[in-house]
Amino acid sequence: MTDVLISGAGPVGLWLAAELRLREIDVVVVETRSEPVAHSKALTIHPRTLELFAQRGVADEFLDHGLRIPAGHFGALEQKLDFRALETPFPFTLLFPQERTERILERRARDLGADVRRGNTLVDFDETADGVRARIRRADGSENAVTATFIAGCDGAGSTVRKRAGIDFPGTDADTFGILADVSLTRPPAVPLYGFSAMTGQAMVVPLPDGQHRIVGIDPLWQEPIAGELAFDEFRESIRRICGQDFGMHSPSWVSRYGNASRLATTYARGRVALAGDAAHMHFPAGGVGMNVGIQDAHGLGWRLADAVTALAPPAAALQEYDRERRAVGAALLASTQAQTAILAAFDPDSQALRALLNTLIAEVPELSRTLAARLSGLDVAYPAPAGAHPLVGRRLVDTVDGVRSAQPVLLHPAPLDRDLADALAGARVETAPTTHDIAILVRPDGHVAWAAEAGQATPQAIGDAVHTLRPGAGTGTGTGTGTGTGTD
C-alpha cells in the first residue's frame, strides 16, 4: 500500500509528488503519456511560482535558462503591466516552455524517490474505509491494482479522478475560440510582447527560448467550433487578415485551437480524494496563469496531505482547509480570465473604445497597474485569517525562509527559545530559526503566515496554541502515521 496515488504527471502532479517526498511520504504517480508533453501549452512562469521554486531551492535552473520579461498583460491590452513595481525577488514574467518544466520537475520528483509510472492509466478506483483501491491499465493492456491512503487528481480538465469521485464540474461551454502556432519569423516584432487589436481581430507575438515565436490570436471570422486540425496555411492567412502582415512566419512546430470553456469543481476534496490544477478548474488561457495556479494548488495540497498521512492533522480537517483556501483562488481565477476574455474577443467599435480607455488608465494610474499585476502574478493571494489576528496572518512571507525547504512549518523567533518549548516544537515537527525582527512568525510549509505576534506577546503558551491550531494532531509529537507504504501490483 502506498500513501498517495497521483493521477497525472504534468507539472502539477510532479510538483505535488516532490512536495510529498520532501516529507518522506510514499508516492506513486501514474501517467498515460510515455514521454513528457511534446508541445508547451504553458509558456509563462509567474513571480509567485518562482517564489515557490525558490522556497524549495530549485529556482536557479529556471532562472538560468528562461527569458525574463519585466511585464505582463491583462486581456492582451497593448499597455503592459509593469512587474518591476511588485514586492517580490522575481519582478518579471519568465518565458519557459512547459516541456522543459515537466522534465525538470519529473527529474526532481524521481530524485526525491517518487515512483513515476509512465504508460500507466488510471481506469477506476473505489474508496474503502481506510483508503482507495485503484485499477491501473498498462500500455500493453494488462491491468494491476494500487492501493493508497489518498488519491490526488492532477489529470486535467477531463479528470478521471474527479469523475469517478462524483464531483460536479459546473460552468460554461466554449463560445470563443483562439488559434495558436509556434513558428519561425523572418520579420519578428521589435518588442518582446507584441500585441495587436482592431475590429479585424486580436493577436499577440512572444519570443520562445528556442528562437521560435508563439503567435496567438482570435479571429472574429472563426468563432464557430471547427472540426479537424488547423492547417498552418489557414493560421497564417488568419493572422495576415488580423494584423495586415504575417511576420514572415514559416517552419511551424505546433498549430492548435482552443476555447474558453470555464468550469470549477464544486469541491476540491471529498473523502480520500483531492483535486489540483485543471482537474479542479478550467478556463481560457488568458495571461498564462493556468499552470501557475495548478502548481500553487499542489504546493498548498502537499503539506496538508503529508500532515494527514502522518497524523499531524485529522485528514478531513486538512483537506477541508485545502478546499476552503484553494477553491476561492480558483473562483477568482475564473472571474479574471472571463473578464479578460470579454476584452480579448470583442471587436466592435464600443469594445475597441473600452480597450483604449483601459490602456490609458493602466498607463496613468500606477495603482491599477500594480493591482492587476499582483492578481495576474499570484502575489495577491492571502488566505482568511481569524478575527483579531495579526495583519500578517494569511499573507505570504515575501522573504524566502530556508527552513521551509523541508516542507515543514518554521517558527521565526526574535529571542532564544526555552528548552521545553524547543522540545515541544521538535515533537510537532516545527523547525525554528532566529530573526532580527521584533516579531515572532509561524510560517506554514507553503510560505504563508499561520500566526504572528509582537515579541512581548509571543509567550510559550501563545506559540503552543498557534502550533496546535496549525497541527491539531501534533500535541505530543508522536504522530501515528508511518509514511512507509509501498505500491502493490
Side-chain angles (χ1 to χ4, degrees):
M1 182 172 183
T2 194
D3 293 322
V4 180
L5 172 63
I6 299 173
S7 178
V12 177
L14 293 169
W15 188 255
L16 176 59
E19 287 292 285
L20 292 167
R21 286 304 304 153
L22 286 175
R23 296 278 298 278
E24 299 184 350
I25 304 301
D26 281 341
V27 182
V28 172
V29 185
V30 294
E31 168 59 54
T32 301
R33 292 180 289 116
S34 59
E35 296 290 338
V37 62
H39 301 300
S40 297
K41 294 181 180 179
L43 182 62
T44 304
I45 301 179
H46 280 302
R48 181 54 183 160
T49 304
L50 290 171
E51 288 183 353
L52 305 188
F53 290 169
Q55 284 177 11
R56 301 300 188 248
V58 298
D60 288 349
E61 187 167 1
F62 293 92
L63 297 170
D64 290 346
H65 300 287
L67 179 62
R68 305 181 191 193
I69 297 177
H73 72 87
F74 187 84
L77 291 169
E78 291 77 12
Q79 183 63 45
K80 303 305 180 222
L81 307 176
D82 188 357
F83 278 24
R84 293 172 295 185
L86 297 173
E87 187 182 8
T88 175
F90 310 104
F92 48 80
T93 296
L94 190 74
L95 298 185
F96 200 92
Q98 179 181 338
E99 182 269 339
R100 291 171 64 182
T101 296
E102 282 195 17
R103 291 187 183 277
I104 292 171
L105 299 188
E106 180 167 348
R107 182 180 70 239
R108 180 168 182 264
R110 289 183 184 274
D111 287 348
L112 288 170
D115 181 0
V116 181
R117 304 179 184 179
R118 289 194 171 274
N120 283 248
T121 301
L122 174 70
V123 178
D124 200 355
F125 69 89
D126 294 311
E127 285 197 61
T128 64
D130 57 358
V132 298
R133 181 176 177 82
R135 279 175 51 215
I136 309 297
R137 181 173 297 133
R138 301 185 182 95
D140 63 7
S142 62
E143 292 189 356
N144 67 306
V146 174
T147 56
T149 308
F150 296 95
I151 185 169
C154 304
D155 47 353
S159 172
T160 298
V161 173
R162 187 190 66 243
K163 293 174 182 177
R164 298 299 184 186
I167 297 174
D168 291 337
F169 201 40
T172 58
D173 295 330
D175 59 9
T176 298
F177 300 90
I179 55 176
L180 172 154
D182 291 345
V183 295
S184 298
L185 302 181
T186 59
R187 300 186 301 277
V191 294
L193 281 178
Y194 172 83
F196 179 90
S197 182
M199 286 187 285
T200 54
Q202 179 274 328
M204 286 191 66
V205 184
V206 297
L208 299 175
D210 63 3
Q212 284 198 312
H213 283 72
R214 173 162 295 176
I215 302 180
V216 295
I218 299 177
D219 188 336
L221 298 183
W222 284 9
Q223 289 310 302
E224 295 293 334
I226 303 172
E229 298 294 327
L230 175 63
F232 174 58
D233 288 344
E234 292 178 296
F235 177 87
R236 180 168 52 195
E237 179 56 35
S238 181
I239 295 300
R240 187 181 294 142
R241 182 169 57 248
I242 293 169
C243 300
Q245 60 172 318
D246 63 12
F247 307 99
M249 69 174 77
H250 63 93
S251 305
S253 59
W254 186 35
V255 183
S256 185
R257 293 190 183 96
Y258 54 93
N260 71 324
S262 296
R263 299 187 180 278
L264 182 67
T266 52
T267 180
Y268 281 22
R270 176 177 293 168
R272 298 281 178 170
V273 178
L275 306 175
D278 290 350
H281 44 75
M282 66 179 296
H283 54 88
F284 200 64
V289 295
M291 181 189 73
N292 291 269
V293 175
I295 290 174
Q296 292 157 32
D297 289 343
H299 205 69
L301 176 60
W303 70 277
R304 292 196 182 277
L305 268 180
D307 278 6
V309 169
T310 55
L312 291 169
L319 292 183
Q320 284 170 5
E321 281 299 292
Y322 165 69
D323 171 63
R324 182 175 74 99
E325 292 182 346
R326 292 307 301 177
R327 190 173 183 277
V329 174
L333 166 67
L334 262 65
S336 175
T337 54
Q338 287 172 324
Q340 292 184 71
T341 304
I343 298 170
L344 278 162
F347 305 112
D348 57 90
D350 290 347
S351 298
Q352 292 300 301
L354 174 61
R355 288 183 65 92
L357 175 62
L358 291 172
N359 276 315
T360 299
L361 290 175
I362 290 173
E364 295 181 354
V365 184
E367 186 57 32
L368 174 60
S369 177
R370 281 195 297 271
T371 298
L372 291 175
R375 181 167 298 181
L376 186 70
S377 64
L379 299 180
D380 71 330
V381 173
Y383 298 128
H390 191 281
L392 285 176
V393 174
R395 300 184 178 277
R396 79 189 215 287
L397 197 67
V398 176
D399 297 332
T400 298
V401 180
D402 287 341
V404 298
R405 290 192 179 188
S406 63
Q408 296 281 16
V410 179
L411 176 67
L412 302 177
H413 198 269
L417 298 174
D418 66 61
R419 178 169 295 179
D420 288 343
L421 178 58
D423 288 346
L425 293 176
R429 297 175 179 84
V430 175
E431 300 185 17
T432 60
T435 176
T436 58
H437 300 294
D438 293 329
I439 185 171
I441 303 174
L442 180 61
V443 185
R444 302 180 350 173
D446 59 2
H448 284 258
V449 176
W451 169 87
E454 303 300 323
Q457 299 175 320
T459 64
Q461 181 64 49
I463 294 171
D465 289 347
V467 171
H468 179 71
T469 299
L470 184 65
R471 286 184 154 166
T476 62
T478 56
T480 59
T482 64
T484 57
T486 57
T488 59
D489 287 348

